[in-house]
Amino acid sequence: MSRMSGASPSGTSPNGASPSRTNPSRTGREKLAAGLLAAFLLVTAVDLAGLLADSWGVHRAAKPLLMPLLAGYVAARGGPRLLIVALLFGWGGDIALLFDAEPAFMLGMGSFALGHVCYLFLFKGAPVRRPLGAVYALALLATVALLWSDLPADLRIPVAGYSLLLTAMAFRASGLGVYAGVGGALFLLSDTLIATGVAQWPQLPAPDFWVMATYAAAQCLLAVGVLGAGAPAAGEGAAGARRAGESSRAYGERRTAL
């Protein structure tokens, strides 16, 4: 139906009132999404400031809020359920890594791994860039080989398996475009920084700051990349899909179903 239906040539309805040209519920969702994204960015800034100030209390208070806020933003945007689940698995990993114990580290790594599996299902059907895949494969082999002897013996196999899954996620994310591709690469960088700490390699100044900065940026860019990968948002229907390219449209149809 035309948005001008029922209006006079002057742009007013027959009774003289201006016709409504916006969907109040959609406007409300957009405002909610914008507010949640702003809250995520604000809490991220507070968390990073706390890490720079060496305030563990600020970090413990702020970190658990990050992924729920980002997941809420995705939900308000009508994003796919698997993306929300991936972010919530990231939340589980965030909570586990607040505790300085090997069982907590393993639990956190397992939770993040499940999140990467969700991402891989989301990225299924996205274009594949084989030369970039070779670069990621070489980076994986080099990183695991260099870290291997310095990792605790009981963590070598789990870390290697997790690294394979993470690298696959980062590579497949590149098929969705720049945002998701950079997000996947930053996730890989963030977890590599964690692994160098576990291996007791020399660290950058304020190492936790860099881990969290790259991680928060990674999750945000992955979420934005999935939401903007050419799939129609909730309510846009086929018209939104027609505006995307062939490969993006095929990917978008599948991720909407998820």
Side-chain angles (χ1 to χ4, degrees):
M1 180 182 294
S2 169
R3 68 180 185 180
M4 295 299 292
S5 176
S8 66
S10 63
T12 59
S13 61
N15 62 7
S18 297
S20 174
R21 298 191 180 189
T22 60
N23 184 331
S25 63
R26 181 174 180 180
T27 300
R29 288 196 305 269
E30 290 172 349
K31 289 181 178 179
L32 176 61
L36 288 167
L37 182 59
F40 168 79
L41 295 174
L42 176 61
V43 175
T44 299
V46 170
D47 189 17
L48 296 178
L51 289 172
L52 286 176
D54 200 22
S55 175
W56 188 248
V58 171
H59 178 59
R60 288 179 69 90
K63 186 180 181 183
L65 300 177
L66 294 176
M67 291 307 105
L69 286 170
L70 191 56
Y73 164 71
V74 170
R77 285 282 309 274
R81 291 185 295 272
L82 264 180
L83 177 55
I84 297 171
V85 173
L87 293 171
L88 292 179
F89 275 128
W91 179 52
D94 290 344
I95 299 298
L97 294 186
L98 286 173
F99 299 92
D100 188 16
E102 186 172 310
F105 178 81
M106 293 294 292
L107 180 62
M109 186 164 58
S111 189
F112 282 120
L114 291 172
H116 296 324
V117 171
C118 292
Y119 278 128
L120 285 170
F121 274 105
L122 276 171
F123 302 156
K124 188 175 181 180
V128 174
R129 301 173 181 178
R130 298 186 185 280
L132 184 60
V135 173
Y136 270 117
L138 289 174
L140 169 66
L141 292 173
T143 301
V144 171
L146 290 170
L147 288 169
W148 186 265
S149 62
D150 294 325
L151 290 170
D154 58 339
L155 290 180
R156 289 171 182 167
I157 297 299
V159 168
Y162 175 81
S163 298
L164 176 61
L165 188 60
L166 171 60
T167 304
M169 184 281 292
F171 165 56
R172 295 295 286 120
S174 66
L176 270 68
V178 174
Y179 287 142
V182 173
L186 286 175
F187 212 136
L188 182 60
L189 174 59
S190 180
D191 281 4
T192 300
L193 291 174
I194 293 176
T196 61
V198 174
Q200 297 185 342
W201 283 16
Q203 298 292 293
L204 294 168
D208 290 336
F209 169 85
W210 297 109
V211 168
M212 279 305 301
T214 51
Y215 167 70
Q219 291 280 39
C220 185
L221 288 172
L222 284 168
V224 171
V226 171
L227 291 172
E236 286 185 341
R242 283 195 297 271
R243 290 194 294 267
E246 290 298 324
S247 61
S248 294
R249 182 169 67 242
Y251 164 77
E253 289 169 352
R254 186 182 186 283
R255 79 92 165 158
T256 301
L258 295 174

